[in-house]
Amino acid sequence: MTGKILVVGSNGQIGTELCLELIRRYGSDKVIASDIREIEGEVSCVFEPLDILDQDRLRMIVTEHGVKQVYLLAALLSATAERNPEFAWRLNMDGLFNVLNLAKEGLIDRVFWPSSIAVFGPNTPKENTPQDTIMQPTTVYGISKQAGENWCQYYFEKFGVDVRSIRYPGLIGYKSLPGGGTTDYAVDIFYQALEHQEYTCFLDEKMKLPMMYMGDAVNATVDIMEQPKENIKVRTSYNLAGFSFTPAELAKEIKHLIPEFKINYDLDYRNDIANSWPDSIDDSVARNDWGWKNEVDLSKLTEIMLANLSPKFNSEK
Ligand code: NAD
Ligand code: SER
């Protein structure tokens, strides 16, 4: 691969694991991590502080390092965005334009930009939500993702910008913490289960949502970027699915391994956000176009999370 890879938002839930995978596949000299927050801990690649809204600095980093691929992860997620809609719109849209416009100028060859199941809304078919369907999102986050998808397609069609995208479901991993989404409960529950054997959930016990193990999501992300251009037939964003579960079903899985675990419910505004999203996703288009498949199911995920988080808890005690 020619040129370097820039990850924007590298300190976040996905960025942390994505940088590790990019370094594993291409070497640490190929990867540049960047974030508005200073890096915590050790990174094994170059780190550049960057506010993605500062296009001059982005341009400088891209030209100085010879960056040819950008993974743009900086955004406000669903729950945080609802609390600050105007800023969420600005960050989520202007950040994307800043990257797309450098690609349009020819400075960057390939862009990854994540969309979300939040592009769907309450009028979307809930079960096996198809790739192409009604999209009337009711959150500012969903509106920004839907607009972003259309801008990605526009830049591809009008200017030949090679931008690729996945509609991630809720992502669950043990190496990093989530940053303000509605699906965050499905990570927090494991920490609370290990520390207190009890968790109070802000979603209804029957709130089924599409989810995925972070390792699968990161593999999909790098895999779609490695595809030859002709395999990428969707230039808005691809549906991607792992498995779906409710908080009650997740609690039951955890109880198999921690029998004393107990879940309580205290719903907040995030329950309304979740209620507007699909229960399950049809990702057959991604499977056919570029061979996507997930490896991890719910019981495997539960095992992985508890096995990897419990040593952390034991060593901190
Ligand atoms: P996160 O909140 O954990 O990480 C985002 C990172 O971006 C943070 O480290 C933050 O410091 C950084 N950032 C914020 N503002 C910035 C700015 N102005 N300039 C540079 N960096 C900035 O989010 P995440 O979960 O890693 O999500 C990354 C992307 O994936 C987002 O676009 C999100 O919408 C999308 N996504 C995530 C999920 C999920 O479950 N995590 C699901 C669907 C889509
Ligand atoms: N996991 C994300 C969120 O809850 C979905 O995009 O905001």
Side-chain angles (χ1 to χ4, degrees):
M1 194 199 38
T2 53
K4 302 238 169 122
I5 302 166
L6 176 68
V7 179
V8 182
S10 61
N11 295 357
Q13 190 196 11
I14 300 172
T16 302
E17 293 213 28
L18 179 64
C19 285
L20 293 173
E21 178 60 14
L22 290 170
I23 288 167
R24 194 189 67 77
R25 290 199 198 192
Y26 307 119
S28 53
D29 57 328
K30 284 279 187 188
V31 181
I32 295 151
S34 72
D35 202 288
I36 198 166
R37 287 186 285 147
E38 274 303 326
I39 194 89
E40 290 158 12
E42 278 182 33
V43 267
S44 60
C45 64
V46 170
F47 177 81
E48 291 279 7
L50 171 68
D51 178 350
I52 191 57
L53 297 177
D54 181 348
Q55 207 202 14
D56 292 340
R57 179 149 174 80
L58 173 66
R59 177 189 296 279
M60 199 192 79
I61 292 170
V62 165
T63 47
E64 277 190 358
H65 290 282
V67 168
K68 289 294 164 197
Q69 291 193 9
V70 174
Y71 290 77
L72 171 56
L73 304 175
L76 284 200
L77 276 80
S78 58
T80 323
E82 257 350 82
R83 298 202 172 270
N84 200 347
E86 282 178 30
F87 178 68
W89 178 255
R90 194 160 89 82
L91 175 62
N92 294 6
M93 299 314 301
D94 289 354
L96 176 59
F97 281 125
N98 284 346
V99 175
L100 289 178
N101 283 329
L102 288 193
K104 179 183 161 193
E105 280 182 39
L107 285 178
I108 302 165
D109 293 341
R110 201 166 281 182
V111 176
F112 177 81
W113 174 81
S115 186
S116 159
I117 53 166
V119 291
F120 302 115
N123 299 330
T124 303
K126 265 197 177 301
E127 289 292 342
N128 273 328
T129 301
Q131 175 68 43
D132 293 313
T133 184
I134 301 166
M135 289 199 275
Q136 292 169 344
T138 50
T139 61
V140 64
Y141 175 69
I143 295 169
S144 75
K145 289 296 184 187
Q146 192 196 21
E149 285 191 5
N150 287 322
W151 278 114
C152 287
Q153 179 167 258
Y154 184 90
Y155 269 68
F156 172 73
E157 282 174 357
K158 300 280 176 195
F159 311 123
V161 168
D162 187 359
V163 50
R164 302 163 180 215
S165 179
I166 286 171
R167 291 173 183 149
Y168 292 130
L171 302 181
I172 305 164
Y174 62 88
K175 294 183 189 159
S176 52
L177 289 169
T182 301
T183 57
D184 293 12
Y185 92 86
V187 177
D188 196 28
I189 193 171
F190 289 101
Y191 285 82
Q192 301 301 324
L194 285 163
E195 199 170 12
H196 305 295
Q197 296 75 56
E198 187 163 354
Y199 177 67
T200 301
C201 186
F202 53 77
L203 298 185
D204 186 86
E205 61 179 316
K206 295 198 184 93
M207 185 62 71
K208 191 168 162 195
L209 286 173
M211 301 279 186
M212 184 179 289
Y213 175 54
M214 182 63 85
D216 281 343
V218 163
N219 281 332
T221 304
V222 188
D223 287 350
I224 194 178
M225 286 291 272
E226 285 183 346
Q227 293 299 310
K229 251 185 184 174
E230 60 274 15
N231 287 3
I232 308 302
K233 299 187 180 100
V234 172
R235 290 292 179 165
T236 48
S237 189
Y238 278 100
N239 274 9
L240 213 70
F243 39 87
S244 292
F245 57 78
T246 65
E249 286 163 349
L250 178 55
K252 200 168 153 203
E253 283 295 328
I254 293 174
K255 263 170 100 64
H256 288 317
L257 299 170
I258 306 178
E260 61 278 30
F261 177 66
K262 189 170 171 286
I263 187 162
N264 311 303
Y265 298 91
D266 183 13
L267 311 193
D268 69 20
Y269 72 103
R270 289 170 285 188
N271 194 59
D272 294 333
I273 298 177
N275 206 22
S276 72
W277 292 350
D279 288 1
S280 59
I281 298 285
D282 173 358
D283 62 356
S284 50
V285 177
R287 287 176 193 265
N288 290 336
D289 284 4
W290 48 277
W292 148 252
K293 67 177 184 354
N294 63 305
E295 303 284 342
V296 173
D297 62 14
L298 175 57
S299 62
K300 182 90 188 129
L301 169 99
T302 309
E303 270 174 44
I304 294 173
M305 290 297 285
L306 293 176
N308 285 282
L309 290 176
S310 50
K312 213 184 240 184
F313 273 90
N314 293 335
S315 69
E316 279 165 12
K317 272 185 187 156

